[in-house]
Amino acid sequence: VFPSRCPACSTPLVREEDEAAWRCPNDRCEGKRLQCMIHHASKDAMDIDGLGRSLIERFYDLGWLTDLSDLYSLDYEAISELEGMGKKSAENLRKSVEKAKENPIYRLLHGLCIHHVGKKIAQRIAAQVQYLPDLADWDAERFMAIDDVGPVAAGNLVRFFANPQNLQMLRRMEALGVNMRATEADQPQVSGSGSIFEGKTILFT
């Protein structure tokens, strides 16, 4: 029998029109929060090497993680004392986290777990903004003016950045050194002058 309630928080599940997936709509759901942290650290998002599902679940069970900002303020001394870790593993993890702090903002935006905002849409949005928290001033129409951003994704983006708790989390992340400003990697790629494709139209059939 397919469940009618979220197995993590017991909130009634919902299915959006034209979607097969059933989802928990509770933003405070512990299960969703944990899965978001796992996605945030994954290779497709912030790519924090060494911080996989099992380690995040372990830290979460220990009470060390409550939201995404906690991933950037880990106690590496305490980590080094965990069974199976040690000082070298903790130091390697610290280096991975510090490296991730310098990521382009499209990776951070993708890692915020905003429904319908995948890597492609995150890249398109990042190419249009210099400072990620400025998206709190955007309305749905401004988001939809960007290619591939439809009304559903735009609405989800507006709701995320209108939530004071989410903005506080981003401020904590920035205070911990996480980059919030557009980098060269966030800019759209253009062919240089003298390219063999310059002045040509390419048709794929």
Side-chain angles (χ1 to χ4, degrees):
V1 177
F2 194 84
S4 60
R5 292 182 174 272
C6 173
C9 68
S10 296
T11 300
L13 299 173
V14 297
R15 185 178 70 178
E16 294 184 15
E17 189 175 354
D18 298 327
E19 279 198 9
W22 288 81
R23 303 180 188 276
C24 173
N26 178 14
D27 290 335
R28 296 185 178 183
C29 173
E30 295 290 325
K32 284 178 65 175
R33 186 177 300 177
L34 176 59
Q35 293 303 317
C36 184
M37 292 179 188
I38 293 169
H39 165 72
H40 184 85
S42 70
K43 190 173 183 66
D44 277 347
M46 292 299 275
D47 192 18
I48 305 178
D49 188 36
L51 190 58
R53 173 184 292 271
S54 61
L55 206 54
I56 290 176
E57 289 176 343
R58 191 174 181 184
F59 294 167
Y60 189 83
D61 290 341
L62 287 168
W64 294 354
L65 302 175
T66 55
D67 67 26
L68 297 179
S69 66
D70 292 328
L71 295 171
Y72 300 96
S73 61
L74 294 168
D75 184 341
Y76 298 104
E77 184 64 32
I79 291 172
S80 70
E81 296 173 359
L82 291 175
E83 183 179 354
M85 293 299 292
K87 290 188 177 298
K88 185 174 182 180
S89 294
E91 177 60 16
N92 288 339
L93 180 58
R94 185 192 68 79
K95 289 179 180 178
S96 294
V97 171
E98 290 302 311
K99 180 182 178 182
K101 290 179 180 181
E102 301 175 2
N103 275 337
I105 59 173
Y106 82 81
R107 283 190 171 275
L108 177 56
L109 183 57
H110 182 213
L112 295 177
C113 305
I114 303 171
H115 191 31
H116 290 299
V117 180
K119 185 176 180 179
K120 184 178 181 181
I121 288 180
Q123 287 175 318
R124 292 195 182 281
I125 294 172
Q128 303 295 325
V129 66
Q130 290 299 310
Y131 181 55
L132 192 68
D134 284 346
L135 294 178
D137 300 324
W138 287 32
D139 57 18
E141 286 72 21
R142 189 168 180 183
F143 281 114
M144 286 190 292
I146 297 174
D147 287 346
D148 297 320
V149 181
V152 175
N156 292 340
L157 284 155
V158 169
R159 280 190 292 275
F160 180 90
F161 285 98
N163 187 326
Q165 291 182 332
N166 291 334
L167 294 179
Q168 288 173 7
M169 180 184 70
L170 289 175
R171 283 193 286 269
R172 286 196 301 271
M173 293 169 75
E174 185 174 27
L176 290 166
V178 179
N179 174 54
M180 296 282 166
R181 297 192 178 276
T183 68
E184 185 176 346
D186 290 305
Q187 303 308 312
Q189 293 184 349
V190 294
S191 60
S193 178
S195 164
I196 61 171
F197 300 111
E198 186 175 6
K200 296 185 177 181
T201 299
I202 301 172
L203 173 65
F204 292 92
T205 63

